[in-house]
């Protein structure tokens, strides 16, 4: 009797310790946040919900995504309404209260930094604008560091047993990231002051950081594909301003850009929107390396 109760207790304790040490299940809306989680919490089970070839504004709330969200401890997304068209549906159908709470299981990157281009007034005639500011934050190295800091605090809050590990991983990431940031900025100096036409405001933060001016948008309005009349107006822009490149991201339709490229004799540059958008971009560091190298190749 004594032995069996001891055995039971031991089994129970073992079970508890197993639970305490079970890795966190993280659901990352976009590849850049899956990559960031892996920097701070390499032991976590990270599920990446979308790829660089998908439009993060428009994802289908598939049953497989719902099933993943049901078993998730932490959801990490860009926020600022980027996922407004699909995340609420996943949260609703997953019936997992953890992932609806912004203080615990739901982490929006945009809530841990500031966004550019917030709008006071929005009406439907403006298209799919980002009223809470541009959510494509991951090409701002400074903002990514602030987001990483916030994410570390959240991971520690959810899994205090591994506090020291998360903190050490963040500290190491911060040093490496800040060094890379200096290297990138120096490399990208020739890009400062150049003008581009681009698709959407996908690279808003990259351009802001490197001093590149986006003088035209292939979208007539956010969320709308290029039209013939809009492309004709961009041709005028291209003739007036000295435009160095037409920038399109990995998931966007290239036809409008290619038309304009032929007419205006300006190269089209396809940049990875995020990790996996080209074969070089395997983590956040190589993503930045690739994007800067590709820009320099065309705009020098
Ligand atoms: Zn957008």
């Amino acid at each position: 009797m004594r032995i069996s109760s001891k055995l039971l207790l031991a089994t129970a304790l073992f079970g508890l310790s197993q639970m305490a040490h079970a890795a966190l299940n993280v659901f990352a809306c976009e590849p850049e946040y899956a990559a960031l989680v892996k920097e701070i919490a390499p032991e976590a089970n990270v599920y990446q919900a979308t790829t660089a070839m998908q439009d993060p504004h428009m994802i289908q709330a598939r049953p497989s995504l719902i099933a993943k969200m049901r078993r998730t401890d932490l959801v990490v997304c860009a926020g600022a309404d980027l996922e407004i068209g699909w995340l609420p549906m996943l949260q609703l159908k997953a019936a997992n209260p953890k992932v609806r709470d912004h203080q615990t299981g739901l982490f929006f990157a945009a809530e841990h930094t500031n966004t550019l281009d917030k709008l006071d007034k929005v009406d439907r005639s403006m298209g799919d604008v980002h009223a809470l500011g541009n959510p494509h934050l991951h090409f701002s190295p400074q903002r990514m560091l602030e987001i990483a800091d916030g994410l570390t605090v959240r991971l520690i809050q959810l899994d205090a047993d591994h506090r020291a590990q998360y903190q050490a991983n963040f500290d190491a990431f911060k040093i490496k990231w800040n060094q890379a940031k200096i290297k990138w900025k120096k490399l990208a100096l020739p890009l400062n002051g150049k003008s581009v036409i681009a698709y959407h405001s996908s690279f808003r933060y990259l351009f802001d950081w490197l001093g590149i001016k986006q003088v035209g948008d292939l979208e007539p309005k956010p969320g709308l594909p290029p039209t013939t009349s809009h492309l004709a107006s961009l041709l005028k822009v291209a003739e007036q301003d000295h435009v160095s490149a037409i920038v399109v991201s990995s998931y966007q339709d290239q036809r409008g850009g290619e038309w304009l490229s032929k007419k205006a004799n300006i190269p089209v540059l396809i940049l990875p929107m995020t990790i996996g958008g080209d074969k070089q971009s395997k983590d956040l560091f190589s993503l930045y390396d690739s994007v800067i190298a590709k820009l320099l190749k065309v705009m020098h």
Side-chain angles (χ1 to χ4, degrees):
M1 189 69 187
R2 267 183 70 96
I3 291 167
S4 77
S5 66
K6 255 188 189 171
L7 192 67
L8 273 176
L9 185 65
T11 314
L13 284 176
F14 180 70
L16 272 178
S17 75
Q18 282 291 93
M19 268 171 66
H21 288 97
L24 282 178
N25 289 319
V26 181
F27 179 107
C29 285
E30 294 86 22
E32 60 270 27
Y33 295 110
L36 191 63
V37 172
K38 284 177 198 157
E39 294 284 348
I40 315 296
E43 313 281 309
N45 300 317
V46 184
Y47 175 71
Q48 180 190 303
T50 61
T51 74
M53 301 306 170
Q54 288 176 287
D55 180 350
H57 307 85
M58 288 189 286
I59 299 295
Q60 254 202 310
R62 300 192 314 273
S64 59
L65 294 180
I66 297 164
K68 283 287 175 190
M69 189 160 283
R70 197 162 284 152
R71 293 186 298 272
T72 289
D73 302 302
L74 176 64
V75 169
V76 182
C77 304
D81 284 353
L82 175 62
E83 303 90 356
I84 193 80
W86 53 283
L87 185 61
M89 181 63 85
L90 293 180
Q91 287 168 309
L92 186 72
K93 295 215 166 159
N96 174 358
K98 282 195 274 188
V99 302
R100 304 178 76 149
D101 182 353
H102 293 243
Q103 307 305 318
T104 57
L106 178 61
F107 182 94
F108 277 156
E111 292 177 355
H112 297 266
T113 185
N114 65 322
T115 57
L116 293 175
D117 310 332
K118 281 194 182 71
L119 297 169
D120 292 333
K121 277 192 199 148
V122 174
D123 66 68
R124 293 192 60 159
S125 72
M126 296 160 78
D128 286 335
V129 289
H130 293 304
L132 298 176
N134 188 307
H136 309 292
L137 294 156
H138 59 292
F139 282 113
S140 166
Q142 186 50 42
R143 287 177 180 83
M144 279 309 263
L145 196 56
E146 290 166 20
I147 294 162
D149 195 0
L151 182 63
T152 306
V153 171
R154 182 66 60 87
L155 287 164
I156 290 171
Q157 182 196 326
L158 294 179
D159 179 22
D161 284 356
H162 296 98
R163 167 188 290 271
Q165 272 164 262
Y166 294 135
Q167 194 58 53
N169 292 339
F170 171 72
D171 293 344
F173 172 74
K174 185 178 176 178
I175 291 169
K176 206 176 146 198
W177 190 250
N178 278 333
Q179 283 169 348
K181 199 175 110 184
I182 295 167
K183 176 192 81 179
W184 290 321
K185 188 85 194 214
K186 208 171 153 190
L187 265 174
L189 269 179
L191 303 173
N192 189 32
K194 300 274 190 204
S195 296
V196 296
I197 288 173
Y199 200 121
H200 190 60
S201 51
S202 301
F203 297 105
R204 173 72 169 101
Y205 293 94
L206 180 77
F207 297 159
D208 177 64
W209 173 46
L210 300 178
I212 297 170
K213 286 178 281 181
Q214 181 171 338
V215 296
D217 191 330
L218 288 167
E219 291 181 320
K221 280 177 189 176
L224 295 180
T227 57
T228 318
S229 62
H230 182 64
L231 287 170
S233 75
L234 287 177
L235 187 55
K236 285 206 185 86
V237 172
E239 281 160 0
Q240 283 156 14
D241 296 280
H242 186 80
V243 176
S244 304
I246 299 160
V247 178
V248 178
S249 88
S250 46
Y251 76 81
Q252 291 158 342
D253 194 323
Q254 292 151 25
R255 285 170 297 181
E258 267 155 18
W259 180 88
L260 188 61
S261 166
K262 277 196 202 102
K263 294 278 177 188
N265 198 25
I266 299 168
V268 178
L269 179 59
I270 300 159
L271 292 182
M273 183 59 197
T274 180
I275 292 140
D278 62 9
K279 67 176 191 314
Q280 298 93 319
S281 302
K282 294 186 164 68
D283 59 14
L284 287 167
F285 292 90
S286 50
L287 172 66
Y288 275 59
D289 285 341
S290 171
V291 162
I292 291 172
K294 286 184 168 174
L295 283 165
L296 283 168
K297 206 170 170 191
V298 170
M299 299 158 55
H300 42 72

